[in-house]
Each structure stands twice: as structure tokens, then as C-alpha cells.
């Protein structure tokens, strides 16, 4: 099981919002915990896939249909 604090640190690291000392602590933990390291790599891969997919354009007329429904 991965401690929730490390999952939070992983998310912050991938967002570029983890401080230097916490980054060192996270990477030390990852080097000694294969389960956490795999989880982190899976998170990194998922983020890369989402980034690669880009943002989809809404279907034509969606805005008008929403306004009409309200």
C-alpha cells in the first residue's frame, strides 16, 4: 500500500508544484518502494497520454442546444 501523503507528493511533482526538499524525499521513497515507483510511472504515463490527446472541440451547435435547454 502506498501512503496517501506520497500519492499527494507524486501529483504535486507531476504538476511541478513540489518543493525541493519534498522532491528529494519523494524520490528517496520511490527508490526504496517498487510499488510506489510503478504507481508514479503509471501516473506519469497517464498524464502524457492525456496531454498527447489534446483538447477536443465541442460538437457544432452545442452552445445553442444548452441555452435552449435552459
Amino acid at each position: 500500500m502506498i501512503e496517501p501523503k506520497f500519492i499527494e507528493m507524486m501529483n504535486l511533482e507531476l504538476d511541478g508544484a513540489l518543493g525541493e526538499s519534498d522532491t528529494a524525499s519523494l524520490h528517496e521513497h520511490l527508490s526504496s518502494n517498487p510499488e510506489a515507483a510503478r504507481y508514479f510511472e503509471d501516473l506519469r504515463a497517464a498524464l502524457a497520454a492525456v496531454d498527447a490527446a489534446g483538447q477536443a472541440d465541442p460538437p457544432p451547435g452545442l452552445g445553442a442546444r444548452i441555452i435552449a435547454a435552459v
Side-chain angles (χ1 to χ4, degrees):
M1 181 174 146
I2 304 168
E3 293 180 49
K5 74 175 186 176
F6 286 110
I7 292 174
E8 179 65 23
M9 291 170 75
M10 291 177 202
N11 286 302
L12 290 170
E13 169 75 5
L14 293 173
D15 288 342
L18 192 62
E20 285 183 36
S21 64
D22 286 334
T23 297
S25 176
L26 172 62
H27 287 281
E28 181 179 318
H29 178 71
L30 294 175
S31 68
S32 65
N33 186 321
E35 179 185 12
R38 279 191 306 278
Y39 185 86
F40 185 62
E41 288 309 313
D42 288 347
L43 281 178
R44 188 186 311 258
L47 182 60
V50 168
D51 286 344
Q55 184 174 351
D57 292 327
L62 178 63
R65 290 193 314 259
I66 292 171
I67 297 299
V70 177

